[in-house]
């Protein structure tokens, strides 16, 4: 079972994404900010990250930069945010995101994107 | 193998003030190359009532997180109109860390932030409106639920409403019930809003 780490400071958003992913038989863990996500990544491995931008302690850009500069396994990351400006998307890719998605997501859309990044379906 | 504590004869470095402490000198020291000097200057400026403008200006340029933290603490202690306006300005920054620091600082100033909250919640930039809702998350003020209800009744942006619903799920009472039901109808084609409103409705407390 593929393992996905959801990183978001909003409890409702984490629960919404968790429900979508678990319904599709993914194993899900949660982190409230970038620091907690790095700690969880050191403890166990994930196949994909779902990363918010605005979070206390360490934001999503900071998390991705730390992750991409580390010896941790380099797996795909979807940055998912309320911020819809082109500059936000460019910055996400520069930090190490593989895909930029604007909230709120629809379940089918999220699952399709997750499966593409996990190599489960053709793009 | 047991851990052996290494003995050292090196003197402990003292993190101390070394320059003049009058307000004019402290303002000059905010530009020092040594972050320790800048940090002490920012800390001691708490006794200088007119320091907010210069602290606000430094905040936006300061790269050292520990210095920024002290600047924010001092601005929060000063809590005057310039300090609050400077923090509001940080909400428009492209730097998420600075935005989050400003949000946390503003959460410490309920009486000073309350008079401008409706303005922030009506800002033309939806990102600023979302950050304003984030401020309400830990703002100890009796009007928080009223402001959140106004947001979900009137804001047209799905993510502003979504952020408000998330918080209403934590602090909302039955007073929010009708507004939540209306929001669910207004964004009937958004699965996230349906999910979040159902969750919040199930968590409402007695008023």
């Amino acid at each position: 079972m593929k393992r996905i780490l959801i990183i978001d400071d909003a409890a409702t958003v984490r629960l919404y994404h968790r429900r979508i992913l678990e319904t599709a038989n993914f194993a899900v863990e949660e982190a409230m900010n970038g620091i907690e996500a790095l700690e969880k990544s050191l403890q166990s491995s994930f196949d994909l990250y779902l990363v918010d931008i605005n979070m206390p302690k360490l934001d999503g850009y900071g998390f991705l930069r730390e992750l991409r500069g580390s010896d941790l396994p380099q797996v795909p990351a979807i940055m998912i945010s309320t911020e819809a400006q082109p500059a936000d998307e460019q910055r996400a890719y520069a930090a190490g995101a593989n895909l930029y998605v604007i909230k709120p997501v629809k379940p089918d859309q999220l699952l399709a994107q997750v499966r593409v990044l996990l190599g489960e379906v053709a793009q | 193998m047991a851990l052996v504590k290494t003995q050292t004869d090196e003197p402990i470095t003292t993190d101390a003030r070394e320059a003049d402490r009058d307000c004019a000198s402290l303002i000059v020291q905010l530009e020092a190359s040594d972050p320790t000097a800048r940090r002490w200057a920012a800390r001691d400026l708490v006794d200088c009532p007119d320091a907010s403008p210069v602290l606000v200006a430094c905040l936006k340029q300061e790269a050292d997180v520990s210095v920024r933290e002290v600047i924010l603490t001092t601005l929060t202690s000063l809590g005057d109109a310039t300090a609050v306006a400077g923090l509001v300005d940080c909400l428009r920054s492209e730097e998420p860390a600075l935005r989050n620091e400003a949000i946390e600082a503003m959460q410490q100033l309920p009486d000073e932030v309350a008079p401008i909250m409706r303005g922030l919640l009506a800002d033309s930039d939806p990102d600023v409106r979302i950050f304003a809702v984030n401020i309400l998350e830990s703002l100890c003020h009796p009007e928080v639920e009223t402001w959140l209800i106004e947001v979900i009744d009137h804001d047209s942006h799905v993510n502003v409403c979504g952020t408000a619903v998330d918080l209403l799920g934590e602090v909302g009472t039955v007073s929010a019930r009708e507004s939540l039901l209306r929001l669910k109808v207004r964004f009937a084609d958004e699965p996230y809003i349906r999910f979040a409103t159902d969750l919040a409705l199930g968590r409402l407390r007695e008023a």
Side-chain angles (χ1 to χ4, degrees), chain B residues 101-122:
Chain B
E101 288 161 359
I103 287 168
E104 287 179 22
M106 292 174 78
Q107 288 170 341
Q108 309 302 315
L109 296 168
D111 293 337
E112 293 79 3
V113 168
I116 62 167
M117 185 46 75
R118 279 202 169 89
L120 284 177
L121 291 170

Side-chain angles (χ1 to χ4, degrees), chain A residues 19-92:
Chain A
R19 291 270 173 88
I20 294 170
L21 295 168
E22 286 184 339
T23 301
N25 290 321
F26 292 107
V28 175
E29 284 207 40
E30 300 178 19
M32 294 170 63
N33 57 57
I35 295 287
E36 191 182 353
L38 286 172
E39 288 172 352
K40 293 208 169 194
S41 301
L42 287 165
Q43 291 163 358
S44 57
S45 63
F46 296 95
D47 298 289
L48 180 79
Y49 294 99
L50 210 57
V51 190
D52 184 27
I53 291 179
N54 290 301
M55 295 178 287
K57 301 187 193 302
L58 182 63
D59 60 72
Y61 297 132
F63 165 74
L64 284 177
R65 282 194 293 267
E66 291 285 334
L67 175 73
R68 297 311 187 206
S70 74
D71 294 329
L72 290 165
Q74 297 299 311
V75 300
I78 299 176
M79 185 152 259
I80 182 162
S81 175
T82 58
E83 299 194 39
Q85 299 299 317
D88 301 316
E89 183 170 359
Q90 289 162 13
R91 196 169 176 192

Side-chain angles (χ1 to χ4, degrees), chain A residues 10-13 15-16 19 53-57 59 61 65 81-85 87-88 91 102-107, chain B residues 94-97 99-100 104 127 130-131 134 137 157-159 163 165-167 170 189-193 195-196 199 203:
Chain A
T12 306
V13 174
L15 188 55
Y16 175 66
R19 291 270 173 88
I53 291 179
N54 290 301
M55 295 178 287
K57 301 187 193 302
D59 60 72
Y61 297 132
R65 282 194 293 267
S81 175
T82 58
E83 299 194 39
Q85 299 299 317
D88 301 316
R91 196 169 176 192
I102 296 168
K103 290 179 182 174
V105 293
K106 293 193 164 50
Chain B
E94 292 300 310
E95 182 50 56
R99 292 197 303 254
N100 280 309
E104 287 179 22
D127 288 337
I130 289 171
F131 300 145
N134 291 153
E137 187 178 329
H157 197 289
V158 62
N159 284 322
T163 308
V165 172
D166 180 39
L167 185 50
E170 293 177 28
D189 60 343
E190 282 292 353
Y192 175 71
I193 295 293
F195 178 87
L199 200 64
R203 290 175 172 173

